[in-house]
Amino acid sequence: MLIRHATMDDLTAIATVEAACFPAAEAAGADALRNRLAVYPDCFWLMIDDGRNGDVIPADAANATDVTDCGSADAADRTHDGRLVAFINGFVTDSPDLTDAMYDDAGLHEPDGAWQMIFGVDTAPAYRHHGYASTLMRRVIDDARAAGRAGLVLTCKDRLIGFYARFGYQDEGVSESTHGNVVWHQMRLCF
């Protein structure tokens, strides 16, 4: 497995996995994802199945020419270096709380901000329940810490509070977000 940041070339694969992971009212559409990628591609972390037997390798050590067919029946979830397994995306801001406006307005991204917001944690259905999202979340946390952020903020449904608590996120209660007409809990991990 390869972990790297996204490029605009990954848009189709990202949109395909996003649509498979969230109901339409909650999923980011291709236009929103395109806008995000144009402004903050370094705030997209992708895990790619590059045919290397599950080992997670850094992007700079990968040999993109040595890619096998990872069994994808649908080319839409493929990238130039393999099949998209999972991704996490969000942006950076000084605002301490995740608001609905942030999902659609990439211009709110503040590259030197204090908080890494997480808008989505997506795992392609064929790759779920193998720990890939956890591996990727640990990488995002490590990168945010190394960048000097105050921490990370995300919202999640009630059933996922325990999952995020395992990484040290604290439940701050029901969020003011009504994104997709869903009740969300705001979770915060402080460094």
Side-chain angles (χ1 to χ4, degrees):
M1 296 289 174
L2 166 71
I3 295 176
R4 65 171 174 81
H5 292 290
T7 70
M8 195 61 76
D9 292 339
D10 300 312
L11 176 61
T12 299
I14 290 169
T16 298
V17 172
E18 176 83 358
C21 290
F22 291 100
E26 299 169 30
D31 288 340
L33 291 166
R34 182 179 298 106
N35 292 338
R36 293 177 189 179
L37 282 167
V39 176
Y40 48 89
D42 56 330
C43 290
F44 277 76
W45 289 262
L46 279 57
M47 179 177 279
I48 306 295
D49 183 345
D50 63 352
R52 295 178 192 263
N53 300 322
D55 295 328
V56 176
I57 59 172
D60 57 1
N63 178 359
T65 62
D66 182 24
V67 177
T68 62
D69 181 352
C70 302
S72 176
D74 182 1
D77 66 355
R78 303 225 7 126
T79 64
H80 74 279
D81 48 1
R83 184 175 181 194
L84 182 59
V85 172
F87 74 94
I88 296 176
N89 80 107
F91 71 32
V92 179
T93 180
D94 279 327
S95 178
D97 297 313
L98 198 156
T99 65
D100 288 344
M102 293 176 177
Y103 290 104
D104 292 320
D105 189 352
L108 296 174
H109 172 61
E110 301 172 77
D112 297 320
W115 297 98
Q116 174 66 60
M117 297 293 162
I118 302 295
F119 297 155
V121 177
D122 301 47
T123 303
Y127 289 96
R128 291 182 182 156
H129 307 294
H130 295 284
Y132 298 128
S134 294
T135 298
L136 201 52
M137 179 59 74
R138 283 189 291 276
R139 174 63 167 275
V140 173
I141 291 168
D142 289 347
D143 287 356
R145 182 180 287 116
R149 308 284 181 231
L152 299 94
V153 178
L154 59 81
T155 59
C156 69
K157 295 174 183 170
D158 186 63
R159 65 182 172 80
L160 292 171
I161 292 171
F163 173 75
Y164 292 112
R166 285 185 273 171
F167 300 98
Y169 285 91
Q170 299 293 312
D171 182 8
E172 296 182 332
V174 174
S175 169
E176 290 185 24
S177 173
T178 58
H179 178 72
N181 295 316
V182 173
V183 174
W184 302 97
H185 282 255
Q186 180 161 288
M187 305 284 290
R188 183 179 310 274
L189 173 61
C190 296
F191 299 135

